[in-house]
Amino acid sequence: SQPNFLKNIVHLGSYNEQLVIPKSSVVLRSGKQVVFTLKDNKAKWNYVQTVLENSENYTIVEDEVHEGDVVIVTGNVNLAHEAPVIIKN
């Protein structure tokens, strides 16, 4: 399959021992919240549970996604698990 070209990625940080993620990184799959992380130039699908929110971010319970992970924030709506990804600057 063709690689997905992405421009925006974020390295995750934390607040009050909860991870902070941009709202744009969360997509719905079968009614569940999913965040795609980047690992070995592939998109990895991770279920998340949001806790708090402001206008731009959510905090999530750390489960499948961890501080320091690289999260895909654009071009993620049509991504699939294990889809090849190339970062464009």
Side-chain angles (χ1 to χ4, degrees):
S1 66
Q2 292 290 343
N4 296 274
F5 290 91
L6 305 172
K7 283 191 173 182
N8 293 323
I9 58 171
V10 177
H11 294 269
L12 292 185
S14 62
Y15 171 76
N16 280 351
E17 298 184 16
Q18 292 180 336
L19 285 178
V20 177
I21 61 170
K23 284 186 170 181
S24 60
S25 67
V26 179
V27 294
L28 289 179
R29 292 289 190 273
S30 302
K32 295 188 177 181
Q33 295 172 311
V34 172
V35 168
F36 285 98
T37 53
L38 183 63
K39 186 159 176 81
D40 301 323
N41 295 319
K42 291 186 178 178
K44 181 174 183 276
W45 150 322
N46 306 272
Y47 289 108
V48 294
Q49 178 183 346
T50 59
V51 183
L52 302 173
E53 68 178 288
N54 63 22
S55 61
E56 297 178 0
N57 301 298
Y58 290 118
T59 62
I60 61 170
V61 177
E62 195 169 340
D63 185 15
E64 295 183 14
V65 180
H66 305 283
E67 186 170 357
D69 284 353
V70 177
V71 171
I72 298 167
V73 295
T74 60
N76 53 353
V77 174
N78 295 315
L79 274 181
H81 184 62
E82 298 284 315
V85 173
I86 295 173
I87 304 301
K88 290 171 52 177
N89 292 329

